[in-house]
Amino acid sequence: MKISLIVPVYNRLEHFRAQFKCLLKQEILPYEVIITDDGSKENILDYIEDLLPQAKFKVKHVFQEDKGFRKTRALNNGVKASEGDFLVFCDQDLVFGTDYIKVVKENANEKEFIHFRPINLTQEERDRFIDNQKNINFSYKKFVEGLPKEYTLSVNKTLKKDSIRRVLYRLGLRKRGIKLVGMSYGVSKKNYLKVNGYDEKYQGWGYEDDDFGNRLYAAGITGREGRTEEIQLHLWHHMDPTKKKSQNEDYYAKRREEVLGRKEYFCEYGYNNSYEDDKVVVKMLKEV
C-alpha cells in the first residue's frame, strides 16, 4: 500500500515545518508528502529546504493562485498529483507522534475512513513545542506527558463518543456516524474518487469537510475512530476573523438533504470537473 499524505497550507509555514519534522520520525513512512498550497505568500523552501535531505519519501509542492479560501480545490489538486492508493489528510498545524502513519496503515480499508481527534494547544504550549522541537533529542512522547492530563482524557472521551456514534449508525439509529472533521483523517483514493472528491462549489470557509463526510456515508463508506499511542496536537494560532460565519450555510443545507435524503453523493464540481480553471503548478521538491 502506498500512502499519500496531503497537507493544505496557506502561510503560517513555521507550523508546517514542525509537522514535517514529525513526518521524518515516523516508524512507517508515507510514500509521499504533498503540500497543496492555496496561494501562500511565504516560500515553502524557506521553511523545509534544510530538512529535505533527511526525507526518505517524495515531497511535492502543488500551488494555486490566491483567490480567497479555496481549500476544496487545493485538496482536489493534491489528490490529482498523488500516486498513492490511500490518502491521509491533515492540517498544516497538526503535530503527532511516531506511530501516525503506522496506525493509518494498520487500519486502512475500503469500507471506512479513519478519523483522529487532536487537542488544541494554548499559545504558550505551542511556543514551547516549537522551541523544544529544535533540540536533537526532542521526544514527542515526553512532551505530551508534560501536558495537562485532562488533554488525553478529553481526547479519549471524544473517541468513546465516536465509537458509540459508529455503533448507533450501524444499528440504523443515526443518519450518520462519526462526523468527519478535516484536521486529521485517512480515506482510500478509490472512495475519494467515488464521491468525486471535495465539492468545489464550497467557496470560502465552512462546511466543506462536513459535506465530504456526508457524501462518503451516502456512498456506503463509514467512519472509524483512530487511536495513536500519544494524542495528536493542534498548534495554536490566531482565529481568522472571517471564520465567524460561513457563506456556505445555505448551500450546505440544500446539499445535506440531497445527499443524506436522496443519496446524491457525487458532486458536480470536484476532482474530475474543477469549478475554476486557473493554472495549477506542481513541483517535485524531493525525489527518492
Side-chain angles (χ1 to χ4, degrees):
M1 175 186 293
K2 291 181 180 179
I3 293 179
S4 298
L5 186 134
I6 298 172
V7 188
V9 302
Y10 181 74
N11 295 324
R12 289 204 310 266
L13 296 182
E14 71 278 4
H15 286 181
F16 177 70
R17 177 179 175 85
Q19 181 184 101
F20 197 80
K21 287 183 177 181
C22 294
L23 288 167
L24 294 174
K25 294 187 175 183
Q26 291 300 293
E27 296 168 32
I28 294 179
L29 296 172
Y31 175 77
E32 62 185 351
V33 172
I34 299 172
I35 308 153
T36 184
D37 201 320
D38 195 15
S40 296
K41 293 179 175 58
E42 298 174 0
N43 184 344
I44 187 66
L45 287 177
D46 290 343
Y47 292 86
I48 64 166
E49 187 170 21
D50 62 316
L51 301 176
L52 288 175
Q54 302 175 46
K56 297 180 181 178
F57 44 77
K58 292 183 179 182
V59 182
K60 300 172 184 174
H61 183 242
V62 183
F63 186 89
Q64 67 182 14
E65 181 186 352
D66 184 359
K67 295 174 67 176
F69 188 96
R70 293 192 294 164
K71 176 184 173 183
T72 53
R73 187 171 188 261
L75 291 173
N76 287 335
N77 291 343
V79 176
K80 289 173 186 177
S82 70
E83 301 172 54
D85 46 16
F86 199 84
L87 311 172
V88 176
F89 296 91
C90 56
D91 284 0
Q92 70 185 83
D93 39 26
L94 182 80
V95 290
F96 36 78
T98 60
D99 64 340
Y100 184 28
I101 303 301
K102 177 183 176 183
V103 170
V104 169
K105 192 166 187 177
E106 290 174 347
N107 289 275
N109 65 77
E110 291 190 355
K111 295 181 180 179
E112 299 172 311
F113 63 85
I114 179 170
H115 191 271
F116 299 86
R117 295 287 191 178
I119 196 79
N120 294 326
L121 293 184
T122 65
Q123 183 175 5
E124 183 278 327
E125 290 163 345
R126 186 279 310 266
D127 293 345
R128 181 155 47 89
F129 181 92
I130 290 177
D131 187 57
N132 289 0
Q133 199 186 33
K134 296 173 183 176
N135 191 317
I136 194 170
N137 296 316
F138 173 76
S139 166
Y140 183 90
K141 182 176 182 178
K142 288 183 178 178
F143 184 87
V144 171
E145 288 173 349
L147 293 172
K149 297 209 179 339
E150 289 79 9
Y151 286 8
T152 298
L153 292 173
S154 176
V155 170
N156 289 338
K157 184 177 179 180
T158 303
L159 289 173
K160 185 175 181 179
K161 288 181 179 178
D162 282 344
S163 178
I164 293 170
R165 293 185 185 101
R166 172 169 53 85
V167 172
L168 290 176
Y169 175 76
R170 289 186 174 176
L171 292 173
L173 300 176
R174 287 176 60 93
K175 285 188 176 181
R176 181 178 70 175
I178 298 170
K179 177 180 177 179
L180 188 146
V181 180
M183 192 174 295
S184 179
Y185 75 94
V187 66
S188 74
K189 182 185 283 186
K190 178 181 177 180
N191 288 334
Y192 189 93
L193 300 183
K194 183 176 182 179
V195 301
N196 202 23
Y198 272 80
D199 185 345
E200 295 186 15
K201 288 190 76 173
Y202 285 90
Q203 298 277 300
W205 170 82
Y207 295 104
E208 67 281 347
D209 294 313
D210 211 356
D211 171 82
F212 181 67
N214 287 344
R215 289 186 290 112
L216 288 176
Y217 277 105
I221 300 112
T222 60
R224 175 173 291 275
E225 61 279 7
R227 298 175 183 269
T228 48
E229 185 175 348
E230 290 88 33
I231 59 173
Q232 298 182 354
L233 306 175
H234 176 223
L235 300 175
W236 177 92
H237 55 81
H238 288 287
M239 180 60 68
D240 187 336
T242 66
K243 292 184 177 181
K244 291 182 179 179
K245 182 174 174 60
S246 173
Q247 67 187 42
N248 297 319
E249 194 169 326
D250 292 340
Y251 179 62
Y252 173 75
K254 172 179 174 291
R255 285 296 289 145
R256 179 183 169 88
E257 175 57 33
E258 293 170 345
V259 172
L260 297 181
R262 303 200 294 271
K263 306 299 182 184
E264 297 178 8
Y265 57 78
F266 193 89
C267 63
E268 179 181 6
Y269 294 101
Y271 176 90
N272 74 350
N273 183 28
S274 188
Y275 192 61
E276 298 173 293
D277 60 1
D278 52 298
K279 187 176 180 181
V280 176
V281 179
V282 180
K283 291 183 179 180
M284 181 73 75
L285 302 185
K286 175 66 184 285
E287 182 68 89
V288 291

